[in-house]
Amino acid sequence: MTAVGLAPLLPAVLPADAHAAPAPGGGARPGFDLVRDGVAVDVFVDAADDPAVVRAAGDLQADVERVGGVRPALRRTLPERSTALVLVGTLGASPVIDRLVAQGRLDVRRVEGRWEASVTQVVERPAPGVDRALVIAGSDRRGTVYGIYDTSERIGVSPWYWWADVPVERRETVTVAPGPFKRLEPSVRYRGVFLNDEQNLTTWSHRTQEPDKNIGPETYKRVFELLLRLKANYLWPAMHPYSDFFNKYRENPELADRYGIVVGSSHPEALLRNGVHEWEPWAEEHRGADGSLPVYDYTVNPGVISDYWRARARENAAYESSWTIGMRGLHDTALETKYATTIPEKVVVMNDIVADQRRILAEEVGSAAEPQIFIPYKEVLDLYNAGVRVPDDVTLIWPDDNHGNMRQLPNAAERARPGGNGIYYHLSYWGRPRSYLWLDTTQLAKVWQELRRVYEHEADRMWIFNVGDLKSIETGLSFSMDMAWDVDRWHADDVEDFLAEWYGRQFGLRHAREIAAIRTEYYRLAAERRPEFIDRNIFSVVHHGDEAGRRMAAYDRLLRQTVALGAELPAACQDAFYELLHYPVHGAYLMNLKYYWADRNALAVRQGRGAGSNRFADLAEAAHAQETALTQRYNTVVAGGKWDGYINPYPSQIPKAPGRPAVTRVARQETAGLGIAAEGNEIGAQRPLSFSSATRDRRFVDVFNTGFLAVTWVAQADRSWVRLSSSGGSFTEQTRVWVEVDWARAPEGAHDVTVAFTSTSGGQRFDVPLEVVNDGERARRRARGFVEANGWVSIDAVHTERRLSRGGARWRTVRGLGRRHAAVEAVPSTAAPITAEFAASSPELRYRVRFSSTGSFPVTVFRLPSLDERGARRLALALDDQPPTVLSGQSVATGNRGDAWARNVEEGVEKLTGTVTVTEPGEHVLRVFMVDPAIAVDQIVVDTGGLPAAAYLAPPESYHPVFNPEPDTDIGTGLDAPNR
């Protein structure tokens, strides 16, 4: 157990969806030794069983050897005499297994006759001459395969042992519990991935796996094995111009069938045809009578296109496949219809296409042509909603908006169709308004929320996840596959428990909770803005205590925790830790850091700084260089260079992550001069610094040199109870001075204070005004809700005074969702909208707020940008007993750049603004009502006159005696440029 220092993989940390049943008879039974005293127990698979089962049994041999150092033998006939044996078999295909079932000695209740279910159980004297056996029995071939891989996980072989270099702990004795352990039928029938935008995967595959190919059989073997270990069964293969199309090598579909993987194709690839590679040669061979090349337009060349589809259907008829019907243009472009220009005309064409494809499948594949799927993606969704007739036995695959928000879900009639419904969901994406291809950045709580909503709408036949080129999506993919198998395993308040369990299986139990917390905060920061979406002037470096700096300080703390934790792990864990945690955290940190310093550089130039401007430029470029070195280490050092070419934020043929930001340098001048910029001001101090005894604020003043020679300065406040972090000194670049109030000494009431900054050599003086409001400690203690201060009230939506359920609907907390630490969601997602009589019929959130101002004030509700293209996205807002105002959000994914939908997916929230009227100071109740279900609210901000318009994030949460009694003002200070 100490070979690599990992904690034991206890039965309590089994794969989340393996259900353990009590042993018959109730008594404790001894475990089953797979390896003891240097001897491994043989593995038996009946000669009549499926090749997929035989192949997976070979992986079990290898896994036992990885753990115990000795390889079991694989038998195809039963031994005459054996004290112990592993019996692997599929019900109906293994006589020895069927005999145990008939004798009532193998418990197959809820397994037999089910889809992909299995039982693993120790049986005494299972066959003549065999004393004891570990029986792994599946309801079908994949059920048996999954039972095999469950056993591998129980002995400590992670599904990611190869793809993420997770170490396997060596043990002299390898034992499994007697069971029975049952893997029950999955929640979703087909569960798989789409390898897409795969340039990095192609580069790596060509360099390290198959130099004569661009993703071929050797690479797909690794992919197939990983999918099965994750309990997936379905694949859309890589399809871009820089990778070889799947059917180019006939070994590929043959291998998939031998592994038990169902192969399908994406929305532009009808009937397993890869248009990027295959249409042009086909067209060349089928020129028109006049020698012209046929175009991929069904209104122009229906016969040539139909024959093109038919050839692939005939070629792959023998394999277990999924058949995509319908049509789009070549290479993920819109449908081309020269002779159908209106929506109704295009609907007719699509109906003809579907009928033709169905005829082809009936004639070439017959009854085995299932599942058939129709994917209303982008413009095809408009055609579907306009009247395309999809046969009832075809599965409708509903797409998200490419950013993790389901566009629409099946209605009652669509749910009743025998073909059922599924989803196509993005964990990685190339397209509008921005692409995210580099890191795994979608919050698992958001994935949970949307998949839960999907399942409640009975879209449970097929879930396909776009995972880009696979690596970096390890955590998100594992969670998605767990959800697909057992959608009830994780709940709104325990998604972080998945992370603890999953990382515990990779690195041992000791650090599981700490790693889970790190990963949760990593996802939260990405929810504010994905690192792939970072740009110039996104986060303010002026407002809210330098909100960009506060964010970078959070990243800095996260990275420090990550590095410290990594240092405690044994050497064998370092590669996996780098891949699964260190690189994503450090890479996201540096991507944000270089743009933070670049924004500080640009501001410094506008402010007229001298040497400090160049200092910020140096820091920005240094951060980019560190990011480059970080990636280079992944490709050349980690796992001995195994991932050469795989990790690349800046590929040549697909969208890149933000690169080196432009910076400006100032020519050196032999001058010196003093300048200041107070928080809330780009230059000078026109906007006063505000301080409240409720929030006990901390504000900054940047003091800088307009030249390059040393400046000596002093600062002094005209009230003794105002404290400065520095009262003077000498520098050549800049310094940041923090201003605070000693509330124990400050008199009650409103005060105007001045802090003077003076150059001792040049005689320059700058006065910074302070507005201080001290309501006294007694008023602070008496407050019962959120307290207005500095011109606003900022509320985390989960911090409710009261929640009221009505009409069978309620608000629930979803931990780890949104820009803060949790959000509230109106559920169930299938509830009926409430459009009137809100106070009597709508579930409600209540917040107690103490206002010192009066007037009509804008209230902004930050909601998570869910969609419903056949409905609406609404909630209602009221103060006290005033009539509620309905706020309507974006419900349609336009696919454009620069509009409301684009802004929402870039920012991760939609800001809905209404108005409330405060007629008198004091305590009031702010009320939020559900109008449409599945609305999730993150934050609420009331602007009473002091909210800066240029900030990106909501202000830090206001004082609340319970939820926020000590507002955190000591953040945002750790990343200031060094004092020089």
Side-chain angles (χ1 to χ4, degrees):
M1 300 292 287
T2 60
V4 296
L6 296 181
L9 191 72
L10 299 173
V13 194
L14 289 170
D17 42 22
H19 305 277
R29 302 174 64 206
F32 186 89
D33 293 334
L34 293 172
V35 175
R36 177 175 288 277
D37 299 329
V39 178
V41 172
D42 291 351
V43 177
F44 164 80
V45 182
D46 194 279
D49 219 319
D50 192 272
V53 173
V54 178
R55 194 214 57 78
D59 280 349
L60 180 61
Q61 290 178 276
D63 291 342
V64 170
E65 185 177 18
R66 289 183 179 102
V67 179
V70 56
R71 190 180 188 90
L74 181 62
R75 289 179 168 272
R76 305 306 302 276
T77 58
L78 285 171
E80 293 183 3
R81 182 75 185 94
S82 178
T83 57
L85 189 67
V86 178
L87 293 178
V88 176
T90 306
L91 298 176
S94 175
V96 64
I97 298 291
D98 292 342
R99 198 159 47 243
L100 291 174
V101 174
Q103 295 169 354
R105 304 179 64 204
L106 183 64
D107 180 6
V108 293
R109 289 170 296 175
R110 301 181 69 189
V111 171
E112 189 173 22
R114 303 299 180 97
W115 179 265
E116 298 180 344
S118 67
V119 58
T120 301
Q121 175 184 332
V122 171
V123 176
E124 307 295 335
R125 296 177 297 283
V130 179
D131 295 341
R132 199 165 189 245
L134 178 70
V135 179
I136 303 173
S139 62
D140 52 31
R141 64 173 184 162
R142 278 190 294 270
T144 310
V145 169
Y146 297 147
I148 290 170
Y149 285 130
D150 278 349
T151 302
S152 292
E153 277 203 78
R154 288 190 187 97
I155 65 175
V157 180
S158 167
W160 295 97
Y161 80 95
W162 194 88
W163 279 98
D165 300 298
V166 175
V168 177
E169 183 183 359
R170 292 293 296 272
R171 303 198 296 274
E172 291 184 3
T173 300
V174 182
T175 303
V176 294
F181 296 103
K182 290 184 178 179
R183 175 170 287 277
L184 304 182
E185 193 169 49
S187 300
V188 178
R189 175 159 289 211
Y190 294 100
R191 312 161 305 280
V193 304
F194 181 18
L195 296 178
N196 194 215
D197 313 319
E198 67 278 0
Q199 184 185 350
N200 292 341
L201 170 60
T202 302
T203 300
W204 166 82
S205 176
H206 180 76
R207 287 182 184 177
T208 69
Q209 304 300 299
E210 300 161 282
D212 59 333
K213 298 179 179 67
N214 291 314
I215 306 182
E218 293 306 310
T219 302
Y220 277 116
K221 285 180 185 177
R222 294 290 187 184
V223 172
F224 297 154
E225 180 190 336
L226 174 66
L227 291 178
L228 293 172
R229 287 182 183 268
L230 293 174
K231 316 308 181 291
N233 60 10
Y234 187 59
L235 174 72
W236 289 354
M239 49 78 72
H240 276 293
Y242 36 73
S243 58
D244 295 335
F245 66 98
F246 187 76
N247 282 284
K248 178 177 181 178
Y249 308 111
R250 293 313 299 167
E251 305 101 302
N252 283 340
E254 293 166 4
L255 276 171
D257 199 59
R258 193 159 80 244
Y259 274 73
I261 295 294
V262 181
V263 176
S265 55
S266 65
H267 44 88
E269 301 178 281
L271 270 61
L272 299 179
R273 275 294 194 178
N274 181 302
V276 175
H277 291 280
E278 296 188 89
W279 172 252
E280 187 175 330
W282 182 271
E284 186 65 44
E285 294 173 1
H286 296 80
R287 287 180 176 269
D290 60 355
S292 61
L293 280 170
V295 295
Y296 195 66
D297 181 335
Y298 197 82
T299 68
V300 177
N301 298 293
V304 176
I305 294 171
S306 181
D307 290 344
Y308 170 70
W309 289 331
R310 184 180 294 274
R312 177 50 42 75
R314 182 181 300 128
E315 189 176 43
N316 282 37
Y319 306 124
E320 188 179 8
S321 302
S322 164
W323 302 91
T324 298
I325 65 173
M327 188 176 184
R328 295 190 72 223
L330 297 174
H331 198 189
D332 201 8
T333 57
L335 177 69
E336 293 185 32
T337 51
K338 181 178 180 180
Y339 297 118
T341 57
T342 67
I343 291 293
E345 289 171 343
K346 291 180 180 181
V347 167
V348 171
V349 172
M350 187 64 77
N351 286 334
D352 290 343
I353 289 169
V354 170
D356 187 13
Q357 292 168 335
R358 295 272 287 179
R359 184 167 52 252
I360 291 169
L361 290 174
E363 293 170 357
E364 299 296 341
V365 187
S367 61
E370 60 177 23
Q372 296 174 32
I373 65 174
F374 180 84
I375 311 165
Y377 184 76
K378 290 190 175 179
E379 80 286 345
V380 179
L381 180 61
D382 297 331
L383 300 183
Y384 172 80
N385 287 334
V388 169
R389 296 188 302 273
V390 179
D392 281 351
D393 61 338
V394 172
T395 303
L396 295 172
I397 304 296
W398 301 96
D400 68 343
D401 67 343
N402 308 311
H403 294 265
N405 309 294
M406 293 307 301
R407 295 179 62 166
Q408 72 181 48
L409 291 169
N411 58 28
E414 289 158 343
R415 292 196 292 270
R417 299 169 65 261
N421 298 270
I423 63 165
Y424 169 39
Y425 194 86
H426 287 75
L427 300 173
S428 173
Y429 177 61
W430 168 3
R432 295 177 179 176
R434 291 176 187 258
S435 306
Y436 55 103
L437 302 169
W438 178 39
L439 299 176
D440 173 17
T441 52
T442 302
Q443 279 182 309
L444 296 194
K446 179 182 178 69
V447 176
W448 178 89
Q449 179 201 23
E450 288 293 305
L451 295 186
R452 184 74 234 180
R453 178 178 165 221
V454 161
Y455 195 78
E456 288 171 357
H457 283 78
E458 300 178 29
D460 58 4
R461 191 62 56 88
M462 179 181 290
W463 287 2
I464 183 79
F465 296 92
N466 188 319
V467 296
D469 52 21
L470 190 60
K471 276 195 71 65
S472 94
I473 310 292
E474 298 96 340
T475 308
L477 175 57
S478 295
F479 179 72
S480 299
M481 288 299 107
D482 262 25
M483 284 283 291
W485 192 285
D486 185 358
V487 75
D488 295 321
R489 174 65 175 85
W490 305 107
H491 306 94
D493 58 353
D494 64 7
V495 170
E496 190 170 322
D497 291 348
F498 163 82
L499 288 168
E501 182 178 295
W502 190 79
Y503 277 105
R505 295 207 301 269
Q506 316 311 318
F507 301 113
L509 303 179
R510 178 182 174 191
H511 299 290
R513 282 288 166 191
E514 186 178 359
I515 297 176
I518 289 172
R519 191 75 187 198
T520 298
E521 175 68 355
Y522 160 85
Y523 282 129
R524 187 194 70 78
L525 290 167
E528 292 180 342
R529 190 85 176 187
R530 294 186 195 266
E532 295 93 340
F533 293 178
I534 199 67
D535 207 338
R536 301 300 296 267
N537 303 313
I538 299 294
F539 296 92
S540 173
V541 296
V542 170
H543 298 296
H544 299 327
D546 182 358
E547 72 174 8
R550 292 163 65 93
R551 174 175 161 84
M552 290 315 309
Y555 260 124
D556 186 64
R557 290 193 298 273
L558 194 66
L559 179 59
R560 290 175 186 273
Q561 290 175 324
T562 303
V563 171
L565 190 151
E568 295 185 35
L569 293 177
C573 291
Q574 292 303 318
D575 288 340
F577 186 78
Y578 192 88
E579 296 170 44
L580 296 178
L581 197 69
H582 182 103
Y583 181 83
V585 170
H586 203 166
Y589 164 80
L590 291 171
M591 187 65 71
N592 281 271
L593 183 64
K594 66 187 181 184
Y595 277 85
Y596 173 66
W597 291 131
D599 283 348
R600 292 286 301 268
N601 166 254
L603 176 60
V605 172
R606 294 196 299 273
Q607 292 170 334
R609 299 195 196 192
S613 298
N614 295 348
R615 177 64 175 161
F616 289 132
D618 292 342
L619 289 168
E621 296 201 335
H624 182 76
Q626 291 167 26
E627 177 208 304
T628 300
L630 190 79
T631 299
Q632 184 177 20
R633 181 185 173 197
Y634 202 141
N635 285 286
T636 61
V637 176
V638 168
K642 174 181 177 179
W643 303 113
D644 183 18
Y646 209 137
I647 306 304
N648 183 7
Y650 312 110
S652 60
Q653 298 184 54
I654 60 176
K656 303 169 176 57
R660 178 189 286 110
V663 293
T664 302
R665 285 186 165 76
V666 177
R668 180 178 177 86
Q669 295 180 340
E670 301 301 312
T671 60
L674 187 68
I676 65 105
E679 180 179 332
N681 301 271
E682 280 212 349
I683 187 69
Q686 183 176 358
R687 182 186 178 106
L689 300 181
S690 59
F691 296 82
S692 166
S693 58
T695 47
R696 297 178 177 174
D697 310 284
R698 191 168 185 259
R699 308 293 183 196
F700 70 83
V701 178
D702 281 340
V703 187
F704 55 83
N705 187 357
T706 60
F708 286 78
L709 302 179
V711 170
T712 304
W713 62 282
V714 295
Q716 186 173 8
D718 63 3
R719 298 290 192 280
S720 61
W721 38 266
V722 172
R723 298 186 302 213
L724 307 178
S725 63
S726 175
S727 60
S730 178
F731 60 68
T732 57
E733 294 177 355
Q734 58 239 328
T735 191
R736 177 164 282 183
V737 177
W738 290 93
V739 184
E740 295 180 276
V741 172
D742 184 345
W743 296 105
R745 297 177 55 214
E748 293 188 14
H751 307 277
D752 293 326
V753 182
T754 299
V755 179
F757 292 82
T758 306
S759 167
T760 58
S761 54
Q764 297 164 292
R765 173 178 169 137
F766 300 94
D767 289 341
V768 176
L770 280 58
E771 294 178 348
V772 180
V773 177
N774 185 5
D775 291 329
E777 184 60 27
R778 180 181 299 177
R780 197 171 193 264
R781 289 198 303 266
R782 283 202 309 262
R784 293 193 295 162
F786 292 96
V787 177
E788 176 197 353
N790 306 316
W792 66 74
V793 181
S794 183
I795 301 169
D796 286 3
V798 293
H799 291 158
T800 52
E801 177 82 11
R802 190 178 178 192
R803 302 182 193 186
L804 299 174
S805 301
R806 297 189 181 109
R810 64 186 177 89
W811 293 91
R812 72 174 169 203
T813 296
V814 182
R815 290 170 55 84
L817 180 64
R819 290 176 167 187
R820 299 296 292 160
H821 301 291
V824 284
E825 179 190 22
V827 294
S829 66
T830 52
I834 305 296
T835 57
E837 303 295 332
F838 298 116
S841 55
S842 174
E844 178 183 348
L845 304 169
R846 291 184 179 177
Y847 304 91
R848 189 180 296 274
V849 181
R850 190 177 78 186
F851 288 100
S852 55
S853 306
T854 60
S856 292
F857 304 127
V859 180
T860 300
V861 178
F862 292 62
R863 80 162 188 102
L864 282 299
S866 59
L867 301 171
D868 184 355
E869 299 202 2
R870 289 191 287 209
R873 301 278 81 195
R874 298 164 297 181
L875 52 80
L877 181 73
L879 187 70
D880 300 327
D881 294 325
Q882 297 172 12
T885 300
V886 175
L887 309 180
S888 296
Q890 180 76 18
S891 61
V892 176
T894 63
N896 298 327
R897 291 188 176 93
D899 64 5
W901 168 80
R903 182 174 61 253
N904 295 347
V905 298
E906 288 175 348
E907 297 185 0
V909 294
E910 181 174 26
K911 300 172 185 175
L912 305 181
T913 300
T915 301
V916 297
T917 299
V918 180
T919 56
E920 58 183 24
E923 291 193 349
H924 297 264
V925 177
L926 185 65
R927 308 169 73 185
V928 177
F929 300 93
M930 181 198 92
V931 178
D932 294 305
I935 287 281
V937 179
D938 190 21
Q939 294 169 284
I940 304 169
V941 178
V942 185
D943 181 4
T944 59
L947 195 68
Y952 176 86
L953 300 173
E957 188 175 33
S958 298
Y959 169 80
H960 189 286
V962 175
F963 299 123
N964 196 24
E966 298 296 334
D968 187 1
T969 60
D970 192 26
I971 55 178
T973 64
L975 290 179
D976 192 33
N979 240 351
R980 295 193 176 186

